[in-house]
Amino acid sequence: MSRQKKIFFLGFLVFTLIVILLTIDMALRTTAPWNRKKGIDRVLPITPDSTKS
C-alpha cells in the first residue's frame, strides 16, 4: 500500500472508533421511553391536599 492509502486507512479507523465510542456513551446515558416514569407525575405531583382546594 502507498503512504497515502495507509494514512487514509488510519484516519478512517480512528474516526470509526470515535463514532462507535460516542454511540455507546450516548446509549448508556439515555433511558428508554418505556422505562421512564410518566412525565406529568414528575412535573405535577398529586398530593391529597392539592385536590381539596
Side-chain angles (χ1 to χ4, degrees), residues 8-21:
F8 175 77
F9 184 72
L10 181 64
F12 174 75
L13 189 64
V14 169
F15 175 76
T16 305
L17 288 175
I18 289 172
V19 169
I20 290 171
L21 290 175

Side-chain angles (χ1 to χ4, degrees), residues 2-52:
S2 68
R3 185 169 186 252
Q4 290 179 345
K5 286 184 180 181
K6 287 181 184 179
I7 292 172
F8 175 77
F9 184 72
L10 181 64
F12 174 75
L13 189 64
V14 169
F15 175 76
T16 305
L17 288 175
I18 289 172
V19 169
I20 290 171
L21 290 175
L22 286 174
T23 304
I24 292 171
D25 183 51
M26 287 192 307
L28 291 176
R29 293 175 187 251
T30 306
T31 305
W34 54 87
N35 289 336
R36 291 187 199 158
K37 295 180 181 178
K38 298 291 183 187
I40 194 71
D41 294 340
R42 288 184 287 151
V43 175
L44 300 172
I46 298 172
T47 59
D49 295 338
S50 65
T51 57
K52 291 181 182 177

